[in-house]
Amino acid sequence: MAPPLIRKSAPKASLTKTHAGDDFRLPGVLEFVSKLMAPEQDALRSIRENTVKDGLPPISVGADEGKILDLLVRVCGAKKAVEVGTLAGYSGAWIARALPAGGRLHTFEFSPKHAEVARRNFQRAGVADKVTVHVGPARETLPTIEGDGPFDFVFIDADKVSYVHYMRWAAAHTRPGALVVADNAYLFGKLHLEPSKAGEDAPAVPSMRETLTLMTDTKVFLSCAMLPTGQGMAVAVRR
Ligand code: SAH
Ligand code: DHB
Ligand code: MG
């Protein structure tokens, strides 16, 4: 007998699940996929593993998200990339590795201590020649690179209250076809809440919502989608 076309267990579709309704992002499956698709170069793994020893918080993207950044950088043929929020340089190393020879990543970090750790990590990862670390509040330091624009790729991963400012900057300084990417777009599960219910993330709720609204403005971006990583990674392509 021919196998049935639809599994007996297939549940109903919903807005948040796949069309077939299932969500197979199970721990064992995710671990299998990470090992297959996002193996970390030794230098990258040691950045992540040393972040806490270096006295920095363990809030970098994970290896799967690093590999997504690699894919996105290559998809848009980026030569000139910008990152807001360097931390120890983990995501920056993934981005820089994906750039061609002669490419440049400008990465922006508020904390001089984080920037120093990141510079050392970029050296160890063999990408220091492609990366410039800018120290200070990004609202003040982003304008210093505007003469090098327009940019091909912008990754926003710093203070969430300023995301809308960074996204407006990205819209103004990218070329058609550029990709803009916003990490933590689910705002730690608070995106949909009234600010009064969002605790310490309250000030960031309007900023994150305005960021996503701008990314879905078809006068500015051709297409926008949420990559449903654990934290939510919003991606849009510049019109
Ligand atoms: N992208 C990194 C993680 C960044 S964590 C990775 O995945 O590896 C967020 C970083 O943004 C922290 O290092 C924090 O110091 C920095 N940051 C916070 N406010 C900032 C500001 N106003 N300007 C620049 N960087 C800022
Ligand atoms: C936090 C910040 C991040 O950029 C992130 O990816 C995860 C957590 C935080 O501030 O807790
Ligand atoms: Mg983040």
Side-chain angles (χ1 to χ4, degrees):
M1 208 174 72
L5 289 173
I6 298 172
R7 282 173 299 102
K8 282 202 190 109
S9 63
K12 282 203 203 107
S14 81
L15 274 175
T16 53
K17 301 281 175 84
T18 64
H19 189 73
D22 281 330
D23 186 344
F24 292 123
R25 290 172 291 183
L26 307 172
V29 175
L30 294 179
E31 199 183 318
F32 180 94
V33 171
S34 297
K35 280 191 185 143
L36 180 69
M37 294 190 177
E40 276 172 317
Q41 193 202 31
D42 286 347
L44 282 165
R45 184 172 50 248
S46 74
I47 295 175
R48 210 167 37 75
E49 289 176 352
N50 286 329
T51 297
V52 173
K53 283 182 217 152
D54 289 326
L56 275 51
I59 58 173
S60 73
V61 298
D64 307 277
E65 295 154 309
K67 189 61 185 289
I68 290 171
L69 294 171
D70 173 298
L71 177 92
L72 295 176
V73 165
R74 293 178 199 270
V75 154
C76 68
K79 295 193 179 73
K80 294 188 276 181
V82 175
E83 173 180 68
V84 189
T86 314
L87 192 66
Y90 182 75
S91 55
W94 275 102
I95 294 167
R97 270 166 32 95
L99 293 170
R104 176 136 308 267
L105 169 65
H106 289 283
T107 185
F108 292 82
E109 173 53 53
F110 176 80
S111 156
K113 176 179 155 187
H114 296 190
E116 188 189 316
V117 171
R119 284 196 179 106
R120 192 196 64 213
N121 285 334
F122 290 133
Q123 287 284 350
R124 289 190 188 157
V127 293
D129 60 323
K130 287 181 181 174
V131 182
T132 308
V133 183
H134 302 260
V135 186
R139 281 174 187 253
E140 289 170 28
T141 49
L142 279 166
T144 65
I145 63 161
E146 285 169 9
D148 287 352
F151 298 95
D152 309 307
F153 181 87
V154 179
F155 177 52
I156 298 172
D157 193 20
D159 49 321
K160 312 310 167 198
V161 284
S162 300
Y163 264 41
V164 65
H165 176 92
Y166 303 142
M167 190 54 71
R168 286 193 195 115
W169 184 91
H173 298 285
T174 44
R175 56 132 169 112
L179 292 180
V180 299
V181 182
D183 191 34
N184 310 102
Y186 295 152
L187 194 60
F188 315 109
K190 314 281 179 62
L191 179 65
H192 63 300
L193 297 180
E194 289 309 310
S196 62
K197 305 232 165 90
E200 62 173 346
D201 295 307
V205 170
S207 168
M208 190 62 81
R209 291 195 195 170
E210 281 175 47
T211 300
L212 300 180
T213 301
L214 172 55
M215 292 175 83
T216 51
D217 179 348
T218 54
K219 293 190 294 298
V220 184
F221 294 103
L222 286 170
S223 184
C224 171
M226 186 67 76
L227 303 186
T229 59
Q231 296 277 343
M233 189 181 269
V235 183
V237 56
R238 186 74 171 82
R239 176 177 280 281

